[in-house]
């Protein structure tokens, strides 16, 4: 080896180590920020159902979960009750199986991933003796989505660097995707969208690595797509685009397709067996109210532009990402086509879904997984900022607006504003139409009112005590876990941050302060490391 080659090898090694440090610092930064502002409380029927599957597996009941109450009501997309005879054996969040037991209608992937966290929470509860098993195990499984969000950001950063962007632009696009979009809000929930977002980013990263000759790239891509299908079977819609990308690339196309296909095929087999076990048919997922009968232009307009659910309203910075897509296409046409195709396919399939709005959630929940892919071209915009001052100002304004819009939903649970709107509505249909299409009733407006209301409640010691007493009185009976029910009430009437309502529930203050101070220190240190150019 010549002296020049030695110097080149040393430089390559140093650059690799620097990127590893940057990646590690980014992972810790995003994870600490997410945990600082986490809710650690399951806040949806979807999440509770997924949790119950994990719990049943631990307690030896297999995949079956507790059935809904006999008087549980299933509603249509406009909030109107659906007659029981039209449900074909279904109920809220699940359906009755072939063996007469009740099963979740969701993929098995998230419940399996939550198993280690559930066991860790159960062990912590038994050692500490504080709270109840239900409260602590729910809090522990809620660590899954903050971790998924942090990993998705890390994978997006690695993807941007592999595309040739410098540290600063890649970091900027990652931070914007993780903290200036609804994805941050969903990191506080137990919905499946953060996990699917992680899987899609890793699948794209794997495809890029595979195209560049990495032997494990296509395996990584197939495994990520398989994971997405196990979490949410509708993700299968994007898999033909990855297969097409493999078949149109250079190198051994047959081998690339094989490496992509077999992990995905394994996931499909597991999904089919899971469906067969529950409902007696490999393609029966348990959804009884799902239909793809909405005119696509109605769903597209609603998902992108409606005041209550439009992605461009909830994430103005997305416009800057879309502006950067043509520049990426000029450099890497096939790769840009893959990004756009995956986003378009995911958007189109949900635009015809009869629950396209995603129910009572923050923004267009069902298309949140494509946000990181659409924000990736923002790295190109940061690499070559607009020359005109007004354009740079507009870019900064879009980014700042996107960040600020998420803050009230991060600090206060979005359901508070939705409940206030429901109380004002004349009927469930009126509520849904006002939520979706009336700007004054958009959660983007109502959430700021909720933030001011909660801030006023928390400023007064008397109000805080009244909230606690009301929560305890309202949930003392009729719940198998009163402390979990009390926590749910408190989270709607306080800041939706786990240290806040845990303190109100009587948790020791010193450990809470130590944990929060530790997370803040990690966020500060890693943020400083990331701010240094080149890490």
């Amino acid at each position: 080896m010549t002296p020049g080659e030695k110097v080149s090898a040393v430089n390559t090694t140093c650059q690799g180590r620097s990127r590893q440090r940057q990646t590690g610092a980014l992972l810790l930064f995003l994870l600490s920020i997410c945990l600082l502002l986490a809710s650690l409380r399951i806040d949806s029927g979807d999440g509770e159902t997924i949790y119950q599957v994990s719990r049943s597996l631990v307690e030896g009941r297999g995949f079956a979960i507790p059935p809904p109450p006999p008087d549980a009501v299933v509603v249509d997309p406009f909030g109107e009750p659906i007659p029981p005879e039209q449900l074909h054996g279904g109920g809220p969040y699940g359906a009755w199986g072939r063996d007469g037991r009740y099963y979740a209608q969701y993929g098995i992937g998230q419940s399996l991933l939550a198993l280690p966290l559930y066991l860790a929470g159960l062990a912590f509860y038994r050692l500490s003796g504080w709270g109840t098993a239900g409260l602590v195990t729910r809090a522990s499984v809620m660590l899954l989505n903050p971790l998924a969000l942090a990993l998705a950001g890390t994978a997006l950063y690695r993807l941007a660097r592999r595309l040739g962007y410098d540290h600063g632009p890649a970091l900027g696009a990652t931070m914007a995707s993780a903290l200036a979009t609804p994805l941050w809000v969903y990191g506080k929930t137990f919905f499946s969208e953060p996990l699917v977002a992680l899987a899609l980013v890793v699948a794209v990263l794997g495809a890029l690595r595979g195209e560049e000759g990495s032997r494990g790239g296509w395996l990584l891509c197939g495994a990520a797509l398989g994971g997405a299908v196990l979490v949410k079977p509708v993700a299968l819609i994007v898999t033909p685009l990855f297969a097409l990308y493999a078949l149109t690339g250079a190198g051994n196309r047959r081998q690339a397709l094989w490496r992509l296909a077999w992990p995905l095929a394994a996931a499909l087999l597991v999904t089919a067996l899971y469906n067969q076990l529950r409902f007696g048919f490999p393609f029966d997922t348990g959804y009884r109210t799902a239909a793809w009968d909405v005119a696509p232009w109605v769903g597209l307009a609603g998902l992108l532009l409606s005041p209550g659910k439009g992605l461009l309203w909830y994430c103005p910075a997305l416009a800057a990402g879309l502006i950067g897509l043509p520049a990426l296409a000029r450099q890497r046409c096939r790769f840009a086509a893959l990004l756009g195709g995956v986003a378009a396919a995911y958007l189109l399939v949900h635009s015809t879904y009869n629950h396209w709005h995603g129910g009572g959630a923050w923004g267009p929940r069902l298309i949140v997984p494509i946000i990181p892919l659409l924000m990736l071209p923002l790295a190109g915009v940061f690499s070559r900022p607009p020359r005109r001052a007004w354009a740079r100002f507009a870019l900064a304004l879009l980014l700042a607006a996107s960040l600020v819009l998420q803050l009230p939903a991060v600090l206060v649970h979005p359901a508070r504003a939705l409940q206030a709107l429901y109380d004002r509505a004349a009927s469930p249909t009126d509520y849904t139409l006002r939520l979706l299409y009336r700007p004054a009733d958009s959660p983007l407006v109502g959430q700021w009112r909720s933030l001011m209301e909660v801030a006023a409640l928390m400023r007064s010691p008397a109000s805080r005590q009244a909230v606690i007493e009301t929560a305890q009185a309202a949930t003392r009976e009729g719940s198998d876990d009163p402390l979990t029910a009390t926590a749910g009430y408190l989270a709607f009437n306080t800041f939706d941050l786990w240290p806040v309502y845990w303190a109100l529930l009587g948790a020791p203050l010193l450990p809470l302060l130590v944990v929060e101070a530790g997370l803040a220190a990690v966020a500060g240190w890693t943020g400083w490391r990331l701010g240094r150019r080149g890490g």
Side-chain angles (χ1 to χ4, degrees), residues 339-434:
L339 285 185
V342 169
Y346 210 81
L347 179 61
L348 285 171
V349 73
H350 287 99
S351 69
T352 62
Y353 182 43
N354 62 336
H355 288 269
W356 60 263
H357 48 74
W362 182 248
R365 173 173 66 88
L366 299 179
I367 61 169
V368 162
I370 65 175
I371 287 178
L373 303 184
L374 296 177
M375 293 293 283
L376 176 62
L378 195 58
V381 178
F382 290 145
S383 294
R384 296 184 176 180
R387 294 181 180 179
R388 297 183 182 275
W390 68 265
R392 293 195 299 271
F393 176 77
L395 175 61
L397 188 62
L398 287 174
L399 292 169
S402 290
L403 173 62
V404 170
L405 285 172
Q406 314 313 318
L407 293 179
V410 169
L411 297 175
V412 176
H413 197 278
R416 183 181 176 90
L418 296 176
Q419 184 62 53
L421 174 59
Y422 190 87
D423 293 340
R424 297 195 304 270
S427 68
T429 301
D430 180 51
Y431 158 76
T432 302
L433 294 176
R434 290 174 67 172

Side-chain angles (χ1 to χ4, degrees), residues 259-286:
R259 289 175 176 171
L260 168 70
W262 77 259
L264 178 59
L268 290 173
L269 178 60
V270 170
T271 299
L273 291 175
Y274 184 51
N275 293 338
Q276 178 71 32
L277 177 66
R278 293 178 297 166
F279 305 117
F281 187 62
F283 303 109
D284 186 355
T285 63

Side-chain angles (χ1 to χ4, degrees), residues 470-496:
T470 303
Q472 292 173 340
T475 59
R476 189 172 293 119
E477 297 179 358
S479 172
D480 62 343
D481 190 344
L483 194 60
T484 295
T486 302
Y489 182 92
L490 286 175
F492 276 67
N493 295 280
T494 64
F495 293 110
D496 192 22

Side-chain angles (χ1 to χ4, degrees), residues 161-184:
R161 293 305 304 270
R162 200 167 191 99
L163 288 170
Y165 297 115
D166 290 336
H167 169 71
L171 182 63
T174 298
M175 292 298 188
S177 175
L179 303 179
T181 73
L183 194 59
W184 188 11

Side-chain angles (χ1 to χ4, degrees), residues 24-67:
L26 177 60
L27 177 62
L28 288 175
F29 176 80
L30 291 176
L31 185 58
S32 58
I33 290 293
C34 290
L35 293 179
L36 269 170
L37 300 172
S39 69
L40 300 189
R41 181 186 63 82
I42 295 177
D43 60 353
S44 65
D46 303 60
E48 179 66 21
T49 302
I50 294 167
Y51 162 84
Q52 289 294 344
V53 175
S54 301
R55 179 182 176 182
S56 291
L57 289 171
V58 171
E59 296 180 353
R61 295 193 299 271
F63 297 112
I65 62 174

Side-chain angles (χ1 to χ4, degrees), residues 152-245:
T154 304
L156 188 68
Y157 173 81
R158 293 290 297 271
L159 179 58
R161 293 305 304 270
R162 200 167 191 99
L163 288 170
Y165 297 115
D166 290 336
H167 169 71
L171 182 63
T174 298
M175 292 298 188
S177 175
L179 303 179
T181 73
L183 194 59
W184 188 11
V185 180
Y186 283 96
K188 290 170 60 77
T189 72
F190 205 52
F191 283 114
S192 61
E193 277 66 29
L195 283 171
V196 179
L198 168 62
L200 291 181
V201 175
V202 173
V204 172
L205 176 60
L208 182 60
R209 290 177 57 183
E211 182 184 32
E212 294 176 348
S214 171
R215 297 185 62 182
W218 289 114
L219 284 175
L220 178 64
C221 180
L225 291 174
V229 170
L230 286 173
V231 171
K232 200 163 189 177
V234 73
L236 185 64
I237 191 68
V238 304
T239 56
L241 296 169
F242 287 91
L244 181 62
Y245 190 75

